[in-house]
Amino acid sequence: ANVMGKLEIRWRGRLGETGRLQTQQIVGAPVRHRDVQLALVHVPEAIEAEAPFSIGVSLTNHTAGPVGPLAVQLGRGGEEGAADTAVLMDGPLSQRVERIEPGSSAYVQVHLLATRPGVQKLGDVACLDLLQGGALLDLLSGVSLEVAPKC
């Protein structure tokens, strides 16, 4: 458990009397670190509609042993969301990383294509453990990209 400390409130009344209130120890939920952390490390400054572009993704191994093989892929967003998706994979549907040593990182370039201009939501970028039948290790979501109109 993470002990964050105590909260103490002091005040002075209208007649000069003082007051004090102190809580018991405040305990937060333990911070859980993911075994493999996925991070977006490169997004191009300019993205043009209907032109391919790449983003860079870093995978960091926080375990005591090597991990792999892993796959990095872009989520589809469900059947109803699939037709409305404006950012699609351009090339292989997943990028494979064979092995990452303890405390090390691997860099993966994901090739994409934006189909229309405007602010577009990138689908979920997922890191999957291929030895565990595609078990989800980490997920990057909520990334928006500004796409310029085709010149």
Side-chain angles (χ1 to χ4, degrees), residues 61-147:
N61 179 3
H62 293 290
T63 67
V67 295
L70 307 172
V72 175
Q73 66 184 41
L74 186 65
R76 293 182 181 83
E79 291 303 316
E80 64 277 1
D84 195 39
T85 302
V87 180
L88 307 168
M89 293 287 286
D90 184 26
L93 294 179
S94 69
Q95 300 288 329
R96 188 177 172 116
V97 176
E98 288 302 324
R99 182 180 173 108
I100 305 174
E101 295 299 325
S104 297
S105 296
Y107 180 82
V108 175
Q109 208 167 21
V110 181
H111 305 288
L112 303 168
L113 178 73
T115 59
R116 62 179 178 258
V119 176
Q120 306 298 340
K121 185 174 188 261
L122 180 64
D124 295 337
V125 180
C127 177
L128 308 174
D129 185 342
L130 298 178
L131 279 182
Q132 301 295 322
L136 180 67
L137 294 177
D138 200 3
L139 188 69
L140 240 157
S141 60
V143 177
S144 295
L145 305 170
E146 186 166 345
V147 180

